[in-house]
Amino acid sequence: MLTHLFKLIWNKKKQNFLLMTEMFVSFIILFAVFTALVYYYQNYHRPMGFEYDRVWKFGYNAPREISDPDSMAAFRGSVRQLIRSMPQIEEVSFSSENIPFGNDNNVGGVNYYKKNVGADKYTVDDSYSAVLHVSVKEGRWFSKEDDAAKEKPVVINETLKKSLFGNENAIGKLIGEGGEGMGNMKIVGVINDLKDKGDFAGPHNGLYRRVDTGNYGGGAILLKVSSDADRAFESRLFKVLSSTMRNPDINIQHLAYMRTRINNIRLIPVIITLIVAGFLIINVALGLFGVLWYNISKRKSEIGLRRAVGASGHSISGQLVGEALVLSTISLIVGSFFALQFPLLNIFDLPALTYLIAQGLAIAFIYLLVMICAFYPGRQAAAIYPAVALHED
Amino acid sequence: MIRLQNIEKVYRTSAIETLALNSISLDIAKGEFLSVMGPSGCGKSTLLNIMGLLDAPTKGDIKIDEQRTDHFSDKQLAQFRNRKLGFVFQSYHLINDLKVLDNVELPLLYRTSSGNERKKLASAALEKVGLSNRVKHFPSQLSGGQKQRVAIARAIVGRPEIILADEPTGNLDSAMGSEIMDILLQLNATDNTTIIMVTHDEYMASKTHRLVRLFDGVLVQ
Ligand SMILES: Nc1ncnc2c1ncn2[C@@H]1O[C@H](COP(=O)(O)OP(=O)(O)OP(=O)(O)O)[C@@H](O)[C@H]1O
Ligand SMILES: [Mg+2]
């Protein structure tokens, strides 16, 4: 029977070519759609890598009058003292403005000899990891011992480690801020990735520089507050800080709220993808269904004849499903060849696993669709009396 | 061999009901060559389809080889058709996407047989109808008479006891028609195959053992 199937398919290669093209195109569309969905899904399930509960951001501009670094350092020291003295405050950290879930980005090059990659660059202080409960994978976080360091101490995240060094050890290596030569930044630690751009964002390279005492005017202060820090405390804090900063342009936001906000923004493309995906999938399903249905309805008299010479209804629908499965297998092999180029050539910079899962889903989906599309009209065709089927030419 | 008792067939469409066969009773003996004649639309094809289990009667009983067939499942019907019956149609009903040999092998695909065996039997059947030199052709490359000979080869390849032929010469000129008729007569004579043939040709009918006439769904002997 299988040889018979192949003969039939081969002799109808022109018609089947169209059908296979339809299947191939459907597969490619599904592959793209599933890649996007799998990517979002994987990102959503990536660990956060830090804690944002009870973390508040205090945004400010430093007073204009302070211009030299020394007085700036002194001023910040006193602000820190002031905040720390409040019982509701557990930790305080000064940071550049690109804090988690914020709108600000600071992207630049990082290089290890000739290897150059882009990375998000953060300027933070020694208590940043404590405020956010960042877990250090290798080496250590910044500390006082870095004060005397000859090379600038930096901490990198795991993704940056992988991009620069692969599986090699990173601790102690010297890297630069883009370019080619030997760098002057020494890696002292590797931390977990922080999913700090919202739940649907993918991993990105991250470089953490230790703040140069006094060398930033504006920025953010991250505060870890205790569980009894309520609204009353928040407004008291606001008053104290605004008089200390001598600058009206300040704000307090909760990281939990900022996360929801950035997720909502990020959700828009996700939802659009979902809607488009839904339409495409329905289209693909209807298209395939139509083509298969048409092909089968054209074969009514053949079906009638087969029934007359001894085919049962089951063997007819089995044959039609079998034919469709052979055709879809051929299309899927060709389609998979194209799909595999994406991880192999690293197009779009997504993880290989994302592509492979999407490919698997697309294959499963096409098979399912083809089985339904061939089985249902096949069964219908097989259910009519052979005399009726033979009648239709 | 075939016994029809009070067969009635009603076609219902949304608009009208057609009584295509009205209380037909007919006995056909083993080895008999019966021809059926009658004007167009009188129910000849319907009768043949019911005898061939391709369609179910609205009323009445059919016995083939002493077996009642009304309780058969779809699978049993299929097997019964495959073993006992061979069909020849006016419009040949060859599968255009299969070569001649594969067309002839078709009934054997629905029973257990090896590829070699199928090939051997199909070649033998084609030899019987004088088409051994066309096995690798597609139906579209054959003349009408040749197509009908392929159809006959397909009908006899499984060695059925009964052949049902619905105007087998209807689309052929008289020379080709007589060729086909000779093949059928030969089959009947040498293999004792029971043949029921619908025809419009009095001369062809005269060569068979018995002739029945249908008029408006009623047998008029
Ligand atoms: N599937 C069907 N649905 C409705 N009516 C049908 C159907 N098939 C046949 N009929 C009707 O039944 C009657 C008998 O048809 P049948 O095909 O048996 O005639 P026939 O004797 O074979 O005619 P012809 O010599 O033209 O082949 C006709 O009136 C026809 O219109
Ligand atoms: Mg007819």
Side-chain angles (χ1 to χ4, degrees), chain B residues 66-96:
Chain B
E66 303 297 316
Q67 286 188 66
R68 293 217 6 203
T69 53
D70 46 347
H71 61 277
F72 276 10
S73 69
D74 177 67
K75 200 171 170 184
Q76 284 172 314
L77 273 177
Q79 259 173 25
F80 196 84
R81 283 195 290 261
N82 183 261
R83 302 236 154 238
K84 295 249 179 227
L85 306 172
F87 294 93
V88 181
F89 305 95
Q90 180 178 357
S91 52
Y92 324 124
H93 279 301
L94 300 178
I95 296 176
N96 289 325

PDB file of all heavy atoms in Angstrom, chain B residues 66-96:
ATOM      1  N   GLU B  66     -26.110 -17.327  -2.140  1.00  0.00           N
ATOM      2  CA  GLU B  66     -26.879 -17.799  -0.992  1.00  0.00           C
ATOM      3  C   GLU B  66     -26.653 -16.988   0.282  1.00  0.00           C
ATOM      4  O   GLU B  66     -27.040 -17.393   1.361  1.00  0.00           O
ATOM      5  CB  GLU B  66     -26.586 -19.291  -0.682  1.00  0.00           C
ATOM      6  CG  GLU B  66     -26.853 -20.248  -1.831  1.00  0.00           C
ATOM      7  CD  GLU B  66     -28.317 -20.268  -2.227  1.00  0.00           C
ATOM      8  OE1 GLU B  66     -29.184 -20.315  -1.331  1.00  0.00           O
ATOM      9  OE2 GLU B  66     -28.600 -20.204  -3.441  1.00  0.00           O
ATOM     10  N   GLN B  67     -25.991 -15.851   0.182  1.00  0.00           N
ATOM     11  CA  GLN B  67     -25.739 -15.043   1.383  1.00  0.00           C
ATOM     12  C   GLN B  67     -26.564 -13.776   1.344  1.00  0.00           C
ATOM     13  O   GLN B  67     -26.570 -13.065   0.338  1.00  0.00           O
ATOM     14  CB  GLN B  67     -24.257 -14.651   1.461  1.00  0.00           C
ATOM     15  CG  GLN B  67     -23.346 -15.782   1.847  1.00  0.00           C
ATOM     16  CD  GLN B  67     -21.942 -15.261   2.083  1.00  0.00           C
ATOM     17  OE1 GLN B  67     -21.705 -14.510   3.011  1.00  0.00           O
ATOM     18  NE2 GLN B  67     -21.019 -15.662   1.228  1.00  0.00           N
ATOM     19  N   ARG B  68     -27.227 -13.498   2.454  1.00  0.00           N
ATOM     20  CA  ARG B  68     -27.896 -12.208   2.559  1.00  0.00           C
ATOM     21  C   ARG B  68     -26.859 -11.150   2.871  1.00  0.00           C
ATOM     22  O   ARG B  68     -25.898 -11.399   3.585  1.00  0.00           O
ATOM     23  CB  ARG B  68     -28.954 -12.245   3.658  1.00  0.00           C
ATOM     24  CG  ARG B  68     -30.064 -13.171   3.264  1.00  0.00           C
ATOM     25  CD  ARG B  68     -31.425 -12.749   3.660  1.00  0.00           C
ATOM     26  NE  ARG B  68     -31.598 -11.449   4.258  1.00  0.00           N
ATOM     27  CZ  ARG B  68     -32.645 -11.174   5.026  1.00  0.00           C
ATOM     28  NH1 ARG B  68     -33.529 -12.105   5.295  1.00  0.00           N
ATOM     29  NH2 ARG B  68     -32.791  -9.979   5.521  1.00  0.00           N
ATOM     30  N   THR B  69     -27.038  -9.978   2.333  1.00  0.00           N
ATOM     31  CA  THR B  69     -25.983  -8.966   2.464  1.00  0.00           C
ATOM     32  C   THR B  69     -26.442  -7.739   3.244  1.00  0.00           C
ATOM     33  O   THR B  69     -25.647  -6.838   3.491  1.00  0.00           O
ATOM     34  CB  THR B  69     -25.528  -8.489   1.068  1.00  0.00           C
ATOM     35  OG1 THR B  69     -26.680  -8.071   0.349  1.00  0.00           O
ATOM     36  CG2 THR B  69     -24.838  -9.593   0.323  1.00  0.00           C
ATOM     37  N   ASP B  70     -27.718  -7.730   3.657  1.00  0.00           N
ATOM     38  CA  ASP B  70     -28.223  -6.491   4.264  1.00  0.00           C
ATOM     39  C   ASP B  70     -27.624  -6.198   5.642  1.00  0.00           C
ATOM     40  O   ASP B  70     -27.618  -5.056   6.080  1.00  0.00           O
ATOM     41  CB  ASP B  70     -29.754  -6.513   4.345  1.00  0.00           C
ATOM     42  CG  ASP B  70     -30.274  -7.835   4.881  1.00  0.00           C
ATOM     43  OD1 ASP B  70     -29.469  -8.791   4.954  1.00  0.00           O
ATOM     44  OD2 ASP B  70     -31.461  -7.909   5.233  1.00  0.00           O
ATOM     45  N   HIS B  71     -27.089  -7.230   6.311  1.00  0.00           N
ATOM     46  CA  HIS B  71     -26.529  -6.988   7.646  1.00  0.00           C
ATOM     47  C   HIS B  71     -25.025  -6.763   7.598  1.00  0.00           C
ATOM     48  O   HIS B  71     -24.379  -6.629   8.625  1.00  0.00           O
ATOM     49  CB  HIS B  71     -26.850  -8.184   8.545  1.00  0.00           C
ATOM     50  CG  HIS B  71     -26.252  -9.465   8.026  1.00  0.00           C
ATOM     51  ND1 HIS B  71     -26.869 -10.215   7.049  1.00  0.00           N
ATOM     52  CD2 HIS B  71     -25.087 -10.076   8.313  1.00  0.00           C
ATOM     53  CE1 HIS B  71     -26.091 -11.268   6.772  1.00  0.00           C
ATOM     54  NE2 HIS B  71     -25.009 -11.197   7.514  1.00  0.00           N
ATOM     55  N   PHE B  72     -24.450  -6.752   6.393  1.00  0.00           N
ATOM     56  CA  PHE B  72     -22.993  -6.613   6.281  1.00  0.00           C
ATOM     57  C   PHE B  72     -22.525  -5.247   6.788  1.00  0.00           C
ATOM     58  O   PHE B  72     -23.174  -4.228   6.557  1.00  0.00           O
ATOM     59  CB  PHE B  72     -22.558  -6.754   4.822  1.00  0.00           C
ATOM     60  CG  PHE B  72     -22.373  -8.180   4.376  1.00  0.00           C
ATOM     61  CD1 PHE B  72     -22.785  -9.237   5.170  1.00  0.00           C
ATOM     62  CD2 PHE B  72     -21.772  -8.458   3.153  1.00  0.00           C
ATOM     63  CE1 PHE B  72     -22.625 -10.546   4.755  1.00  0.00           C
ATOM     64  CE2 PHE B  72     -21.604  -9.765   2.726  1.00  0.00           C
ATOM     65  CZ  PHE B  72     -22.031 -10.815   3.525  1.00  0.00           C
ATOM     66  N   SER B  73     -21.380  -5.272   7.468  1.00  0.00           N
ATOM     67  CA  SER B  73     -20.760  -3.998   7.845  1.00  0.00           C
ATOM     68  C   SER B  73     -20.053  -3.430   6.617  1.00  0.00           C
ATOM     69  O   SER B  73     -19.896  -4.117   5.603  1.00  0.00           O
ATOM     70  CB  SER B  73     -19.735  -4.221   8.953  1.00  0.00           C
ATOM     71  OG  SER B  73     -18.636  -4.940   8.450  1.00  0.00           O
ATOM     72  N   ASP B  74     -19.619  -2.191   6.742  1.00  0.00           N
ATOM     73  CA  ASP B  74     -18.904  -1.549   5.641  1.00  0.00           C
ATOM     74  C   ASP B  74     -17.698  -2.375   5.217  1.00  0.00           C
ATOM     75  O   ASP B  74     -17.431  -2.578   4.038  1.00  0.00           O
ATOM     76  CB  ASP B  74     -18.465  -0.150   6.083  1.00  0.00           C
ATOM     77  CG  ASP B  74     -17.646   0.540   5.012  1.00  0.00           C
ATOM     78  OD1 ASP B  74     -18.229   0.854   3.959  1.00  0.00           O
ATOM     79  OD2 ASP B  74     -16.434   0.751   5.221  1.00  0.00           O
ATOM     80  N   LYS B  75     -16.994  -2.887   6.212  1.00  0.00           N
ATOM     81  CA  LYS B  75     -15.789  -3.647   5.914  1.00  0.00           C
ATOM     82  C   LYS B  75     -16.123  -4.971   5.229  1.00  0.00           C
ATOM     83  O   LYS B  75     -15.457  -5.378   4.271  1.00  0.00           O
ATOM     84  CB  LYS B  75     -15.032  -3.901   7.227  1.00  0.00           C
ATOM     85  CG  LYS B  75     -13.588  -4.242   7.015  1.00  0.00           C
ATOM     86  CD  LYS B  75     -12.844  -4.264   8.319  1.00  0.00           C
ATOM     87  CE  LYS B  75     -11.448  -4.845   8.085  1.00  0.00           C
ATOM     88  NZ  LYS B  75     -10.717  -4.989   9.320  1.00  0.00           N
ATOM     89  N   GLN B  76     -17.186  -5.625   5.713  1.00  0.00           N
ATOM     90  CA  GLN B  76     -17.594  -6.890   5.105  1.00  0.00           C
ATOM     91  C   GLN B  76     -18.059  -6.678   3.671  1.00  0.00           C
ATOM     92  O   GLN B  76     -17.735  -7.468   2.786  1.00  0.00           O
ATOM     93  CB  GLN B  76     -18.723  -7.520   5.930  1.00  0.00           C
ATOM     94  CG  GLN B  76     -18.233  -8.167   7.204  1.00  0.00           C
ATOM     95  CD  GLN B  76     -19.397  -8.601   8.077  1.00  0.00           C
ATOM     96  OE1 GLN B  76     -20.350  -7.843   8.273  1.00  0.00           O
ATOM     97  NE2 GLN B  76     -19.324  -9.819   8.590  1.00  0.00           N
ATOM     98  N   LEU B  77     -18.816  -5.594   3.461  1.00  0.00           N
ATOM     99  CA  LEU B  77     -19.257  -5.265   2.109  1.00  0.00           C
ATOM    100  C   LEU B  77     -18.064  -5.081   1.185  1.00  0.00           C
ATOM    101  O   LEU B  77     -18.035  -5.598   0.063  1.00  0.00           O
ATOM    102  CB  LEU B  77     -20.070  -3.971   2.123  1.00  0.00           C
ATOM    103  CG  LEU B  77     -21.562  -4.075   2.383  1.00  0.00           C
ATOM    104  CD1 LEU B  77     -22.168  -2.686   2.435  1.00  0.00           C
ATOM    105  CD2 LEU B  77     -22.233  -4.897   1.290  1.00  0.00           C
ATOM    106  N   ALA B  78     -17.080  -4.340   1.692  1.00  0.00           N
ATOM    107  CA  ALA B  78     -15.893  -4.060   0.891  1.00  0.00           C
ATOM    108  C   ALA B  78     -15.202  -5.366   0.511  1.00  0.00           C
ATOM    109  O   ALA B  78     -14.812  -5.572  -0.642  1.00  0.00           O
ATOM    110  CB  ALA B  78     -14.947  -3.138   1.655  1.00  0.00           C
ATOM    111  N   GLN B  79     -15.066  -6.245   1.496  1.00  0.00           N
ATOM    112  CA  GLN B  79     -14.390  -7.516   1.224  1.00  0.00           C
ATOM    113  C   GLN B  79     -15.187  -8.377   0.249  1.00  0.00           C
ATOM    114  O   GLN B  79     -14.618  -9.033  -0.626  1.00  0.00           O
ATOM    115  CB  GLN B  79     -14.180  -8.265   2.529  1.00  0.00           C
ATOM    116  CG  GLN B  79     -12.755  -8.113   3.014  1.00  0.00           C
ATOM    117  CD  GLN B  79     -12.579  -8.702   4.394  1.00  0.00           C
ATOM    118  OE1 GLN B  79     -13.319  -9.585   4.794  1.00  0.00           O
ATOM    119  NE2 GLN B  79     -11.597  -8.193   5.107  1.00  0.00           N
ATOM    120  N   PHE B  80     -16.495  -8.323   0.427  1.00  0.00           N
ATOM    121  CA  PHE B  80     -17.362  -9.110  -0.445  1.00  0.00           C
ATOM    122  C   PHE B  80     -17.237  -8.644  -1.894  1.00  0.00           C
ATOM    123  O   PHE B  80     -17.067  -9.441  -2.812  1.00  0.00           O
ATOM    124  CB  PHE B  80     -18.807  -8.983   0.048  1.00  0.00           C
ATOM    125  CG  PHE B  80     -19.730 -10.018  -0.509  1.00  0.00           C
ATOM    126  CD1 PHE B  80     -19.826 -11.267   0.083  1.00  0.00           C
ATOM    127  CD2 PHE B  80     -20.502  -9.748  -1.626  1.00  0.00           C
ATOM    128  CE1 PHE B  80     -20.682 -12.226  -0.433  1.00  0.00           C
ATOM    129  CE2 PHE B  80     -21.359 -10.704  -2.147  1.00  0.00           C
ATOM    130  CZ  PHE B  80     -21.454 -11.944  -1.549  1.00  0.00           C
ATOM    131  N   ARG B  81     -17.298  -7.327  -2.076  1.00  0.00           N
ATOM    132  CA  ARG B  81     -17.128  -6.768  -3.417  1.00  0.00           C
ATOM    133  C   ARG B  81     -15.782  -7.161  -3.991  1.00  0.00           C
ATOM    134  O   ARG B  81     -15.650  -7.518  -5.152  1.00  0.00           O
ATOM    135  CB  ARG B  81     -17.227  -5.238  -3.377  1.00  0.00           C
ATOM    136  CG  ARG B  81     -18.637  -4.718  -3.249  1.00  0.00           C
ATOM    137  CD  ARG B  81     -18.687  -3.233  -3.574  1.00  0.00           C
ATOM    138  NE  ARG B  81     -18.054  -2.399  -2.574  1.00  0.00           N
ATOM    139  CZ  ARG B  81     -18.712  -1.748  -1.617  1.00  0.00           C
ATOM    140  NH1 ARG B  81     -20.016  -1.823  -1.553  1.00  0.00           N
ATOM    141  NH2 ARG B  81     -18.066  -1.013  -0.742  1.00  0.00           N
ATOM    142  N   ASN B  82     -14.778  -7.073  -3.134  1.00  0.00           N
ATOM    143  CA  ASN B  82     -13.421  -7.351  -3.580  1.00  0.00           C
ATOM    144  C   ASN B  82     -13.266  -8.791  -4.064  1.00  0.00           C
ATOM    145  O   ASN B  82     -12.615  -9.052  -5.072  1.00  0.00           O
ATOM    146  CB  ASN B  82     -12.454  -7.058  -2.433  1.00  0.00           C
ATOM    147  CG  ASN B  82     -11.014  -7.259  -2.829  1.00  0.00           C
ATOM    148  OD1 ASN B  82     -10.426  -8.290  -2.551  1.00  0.00           O
ATOM    149  ND2 ASN B  82     -10.461  -6.277  -3.516  1.00  0.00           N
ATOM    150  N   ARG B  83     -13.873  -9.733  -3.358  1.00  0.00           N
ATOM    151  CA  ARG B  83     -13.675 -11.156  -3.682  1.00  0.00           C
ATOM    152  C   ARG B  83     -14.606 -11.635  -4.789  1.00  0.00           C
ATOM    153  O   ARG B  83     -14.207 -12.415  -5.639  1.00  0.00           O
ATOM    154  CB  ARG B  83     -13.945 -12.022  -2.443  1.00  0.00           C
ATOM    155  CG  ARG B  83     -13.088 -11.668  -1.280  1.00  0.00           C
ATOM    156  CD  ARG B  83     -12.329 -12.885  -0.798  1.00  0.00           C
ATOM    157  NE  ARG B  83     -11.122 -12.406  -0.150  1.00  0.00           N
ATOM    158  CZ  ARG B  83      -9.905 -12.751  -0.525  1.00  0.00           C
ATOM    159  NH1 ARG B  83      -9.732 -13.594  -1.525  1.00  0.00           N
ATOM    160  NH2 ARG B  83      -8.857 -12.272   0.108  1.00  0.00           N
ATOM    161  N   LYS B  84     -15.862 -11.175  -4.730  1.00  0.00           N
ATOM    162  CA  LYS B  84     -16.881 -11.814  -5.574  1.00  0.00           C
ATOM    163  C   LYS B  84     -17.195 -11.042  -6.843  1.00  0.00           C
ATOM    164  O   LYS B  84     -17.679 -11.617  -7.804  1.00  0.00           O
ATOM    165  CB  LYS B  84     -18.193 -11.934  -4.770  1.00  0.00           C
ATOM    166  CG  LYS B  84     -18.091 -12.844  -3.589  1.00  0.00           C
ATOM    167  CD  LYS B  84     -18.914 -14.095  -3.814  1.00  0.00           C
ATOM    168  CE  LYS B  84     -18.777 -14.997  -2.611  1.00  0.00           C
ATOM    169  NZ  LYS B  84     -18.502 -16.374  -2.916  1.00  0.00           N
ATOM    170  N   LEU B  85     -16.998  -9.721  -6.820  1.00  0.00           N
ATOM    171  CA  LEU B  85     -17.541  -8.897  -7.886  1.00  0.00           C
ATOM    172  C   LEU B  85     -16.467  -8.162  -8.670  1.00  0.00           C
ATOM    173  O   LEU B  85     -15.446  -7.751  -8.116  1.00  0.00           O
ATOM    174  CB  LEU B  85     -18.503  -7.851  -7.298  1.00  0.00           C
ATOM    175  CG  LEU B  85     -19.642  -8.381  -6.422  1.00  0.00           C
ATOM    176  CD1 LEU B  85     -20.366  -7.229  -5.770  1.00  0.00           C
ATOM    177  CD2 LEU B  85     -20.596  -9.217  -7.246  1.00  0.00           C
ATOM    178  N   GLY B  86     -16.734  -8.026  -9.977  1.00  0.00           N
ATOM    179  CA  GLY B  86     -15.888  -7.178 -10.810  1.00  0.00           C
ATOM    180  C   GLY B  86     -16.789  -6.213 -11.557  1.00  0.00           C
ATOM    181  O   GLY B  86     -17.888  -6.568 -11.959  1.00  0.00           O
ATOM    182  N   PHE B  87     -16.321  -4.957 -11.697  1.00  0.00           N
ATOM    183  CA  PHE B  87     -17.174  -3.940 -12.325  1.00  0.00           C
ATOM    184  C   PHE B  87     -16.537  -3.407 -13.599  1.00  0.00           C
ATOM    185  O   PHE B  87     -15.331  -3.195 -13.669  1.00  0.00           O
ATOM    186  CB  PHE B  87     -17.384  -2.756 -11.372  1.00  0.00           C
ATOM    187  CG  PHE B  87     -18.173  -3.112 -10.153  1.00  0.00           C
ATOM    188  CD1 PHE B  87     -17.535  -3.508  -8.982  1.00  0.00           C
ATOM    189  CD2 PHE B  87     -19.554  -3.061 -10.170  1.00  0.00           C
ATOM    190  CE1 PHE B  87     -18.257  -3.834  -7.859  1.00  0.00           C
ATOM    191  CE2 PHE B  87     -20.285  -3.395  -9.045  1.00  0.00           C
ATOM    192  CZ  PHE B  87     -19.640  -3.777  -7.882  1.00  0.00           C
ATOM    193  N   VAL B  88     -17.389  -3.184 -14.586  1.00  0.00           N
ATOM    194  CA  VAL B  88     -16.952  -2.472 -15.791  1.00  0.00           C
ATOM    195  C   VAL B  88     -17.978  -1.368 -16.037  1.00  0.00           C
ATOM    196  O   VAL B  88     -19.182  -1.630 -16.037  1.00  0.00           O
ATOM    197  CB  VAL B  88     -16.895  -3.417 -17.015  1.00  0.00           C
ATOM    198  CG1 VAL B  88     -16.410  -2.655 -18.241  1.00  0.00           C
ATOM    199  CG2 VAL B  88     -16.000  -4.617 -16.736  1.00  0.00           C
ATOM    200  N   PHE B  89     -17.486  -0.138 -16.194  1.00  0.00           N
ATOM    201  CA  PHE B  89     -18.398   0.996 -16.350  1.00  0.00           C
ATOM    202  C   PHE B  89     -18.295   1.579 -17.744  1.00  0.00           C
ATOM    203  O   PHE B  89     -17.264   1.464 -18.406  1.00  0.00           O
ATOM    204  CB  PHE B  89     -18.057   2.098 -15.332  1.00  0.00           C
ATOM    205  CG  PHE B  89     -18.051   1.624 -13.917  1.00  0.00           C
ATOM    206  CD1 PHE B  89     -16.867   1.230 -13.309  1.00  0.00           C
ATOM    207  CD2 PHE B  89     -19.222   1.553 -13.183  1.00  0.00           C
ATOM    208  CE1 PHE B  89     -16.847   0.791 -12.001  1.00  0.00           C
ATOM    209  CE2 PHE B  89     -19.213   1.115 -11.875  1.00  0.00           C
ATOM    210  CZ  PHE B  89     -18.025   0.733 -11.278  1.00  0.00           C
ATOM    211  N   GLN B  90     -19.366   2.250 -18.128  1.00  0.00           N
ATOM    212  CA  GLN B  90     -19.377   2.879 -19.442  1.00  0.00           C
ATOM    213  C   GLN B  90     -18.230   3.889 -19.569  1.00  0.00           C
ATOM    214  O   GLN B  90     -17.576   3.990 -20.593  1.00  0.00           O
ATOM    215  CB  GLN B  90     -20.721   3.584 -19.657  1.00  0.00           C
ATOM    216  CG  GLN B  90     -20.814   4.276 -21.000  1.00  0.00           C
ATOM    217  CD  GLN B  90     -22.182   4.918 -21.198  1.00  0.00           C
ATOM    218  OE1 GLN B  90     -23.063   4.800 -20.352  1.00  0.00           O
ATOM    219  NE2 GLN B  90     -22.364   5.574 -22.319  1.00  0.00           N
ATOM    220  N   SER B  91     -18.001   4.646 -18.487  1.00  0.00           N
ATOM    221  CA  SER B  91     -16.957   5.681 -18.562  1.00  0.00           C
ATOM    222  C   SER B  91     -15.628   5.195 -17.965  1.00  0.00           C
ATOM    223  O   SER B  91     -14.835   5.996 -17.478  1.00  0.00           O
ATOM    224  CB  SER B  91     -17.440   6.941 -17.860  1.00  0.00           C
ATOM    225  OG  SER B  91     -17.891   6.606 -16.562  1.00  0.00           O
ATOM    226  N   TYR B  92     -15.407   3.912 -17.985  1.00  0.00           N
ATOM    227  CA  TYR B  92     -14.140   3.248 -17.625  1.00  0.00           C
ATOM    228  C   TYR B  92     -13.744   3.399 -16.154  1.00  0.00           C
ATOM    229  O   TYR B  92     -13.351   2.452 -15.505  1.00  0.00           O
ATOM    230  CB  TYR B  92     -12.965   3.715 -18.495  1.00  0.00           C
ATOM    231  CG  TYR B  92     -13.332   4.001 -19.934  1.00  0.00           C
ATOM    232  CD1 TYR B  92     -13.059   5.241 -20.506  1.00  0.00           C
ATOM    233  CD2 TYR B  92     -13.970   3.047 -20.717  1.00  0.00           C
ATOM    234  CE1 TYR B  92     -13.413   5.521 -21.819  1.00  0.00           C
ATOM    235  CE2 TYR B  92     -14.330   3.308 -22.033  1.00  0.00           C
ATOM    236  CZ  TYR B  92     -14.058   4.549 -22.572  1.00  0.00           C
ATOM    237  OH  TYR B  92     -14.424   4.818 -23.855  1.00  0.00           O
ATOM    238  N   HIS B  93     -13.775   4.659 -15.637  1.00  0.00           N
ATOM    239  CA  HIS B  93     -13.341   4.912 -14.263  1.00  0.00           C
ATOM    240  C   HIS B  93     -11.949   4.368 -13.973  1.00  0.00           C
ATOM    241  O   HIS B  93     -11.728   3.664 -12.998  1.00  0.00           O
ATOM    242  CB  HIS B  93     -14.343   4.317 -13.270  1.00  0.00           C
ATOM    243  CG  HIS B  93     -15.533   5.212 -13.061  1.00  0.00           C
ATOM    244  ND1 HIS B  93     -15.428   6.497 -12.594  1.00  0.00           N
ATOM    245  CD2 HIS B  93     -16.846   4.993 -13.265  1.00  0.00           C
ATOM    246  CE1 HIS B  93     -16.636   7.035 -12.518  1.00  0.00           C
ATOM    247  NE2 HIS B  93     -17.516   6.150 -12.929  1.00  0.00           N
ATOM    248  N   LEU B  94     -11.026   4.714 -14.847  1.00  0.00           N
ATOM    249  CA  LEU B  94      -9.629   4.413 -14.536  1.00  0.00           C
ATOM    250  C   LEU B  94      -9.072   5.575 -13.728  1.00  0.00           C
ATOM    251  O   LEU B  94      -9.566   6.695 -13.830  1.00  0.00           O
ATOM    252  CB  LEU B  94      -8.824   4.256 -15.829  1.00  0.00           C
ATOM    253  CG  LEU B  94      -9.304   3.145 -16.760  1.00  0.00           C
ATOM    254  CD1 LEU B  94      -8.463   3.124 -18.032  1.00  0.00           C
ATOM    255  CD2 LEU B  94      -9.246   1.788 -16.074  1.00  0.00           C
ATOM    256  N   ILE B  95      -8.055   5.295 -12.921  1.00  0.00           N
ATOM    257  CA  ILE B  95      -7.424   6.385 -12.182  1.00  0.00           C
ATOM    258  C   ILE B  95      -6.320   6.954 -13.067  1.00  0.00           C
ATOM    259  O   ILE B  95      -5.344   6.277 -13.395  1.00  0.00           O
ATOM    260  CB  ILE B  95      -6.869   5.885 -10.834  1.00  0.00           C
ATOM    261  CG1 ILE B  95      -8.028   5.405  -9.961  1.00  0.00           C
ATOM    262  CG2 ILE B  95      -6.094   6.988 -10.131  1.00  0.00           C
ATOM    263  CD1 ILE B  95      -7.604   4.811  -8.645  1.00  0.00           C
ATOM    264  N   ASN B  96      -6.520   8.203 -13.483  1.00  0.00           N
ATOM    265  CA  ASN B  96      -5.640   8.787 -14.489  1.00  0.00           C
ATOM    266  C   ASN B  96      -4.203   8.954 -14.021  1.00  0.00           C
ATOM    267  O   ASN B  96      -3.305   9.074 -14.831  1.00  0.00           O
ATOM    268  CB  ASN B  96      -6.179  10.149 -14.921  1.00  0.00           C
ATOM    269  CG  ASN B  96      -7.438  10.001 -15.738  1.00  0.00           C
ATOM    270  OD1 ASN B  96      -7.561   9.049 -16.503  1.00  0.00           O
ATOM    271  ND2 ASN B  96      -8.388  10.901 -15.542  1.00  0.00           N
TER     272      ASN B  96
END
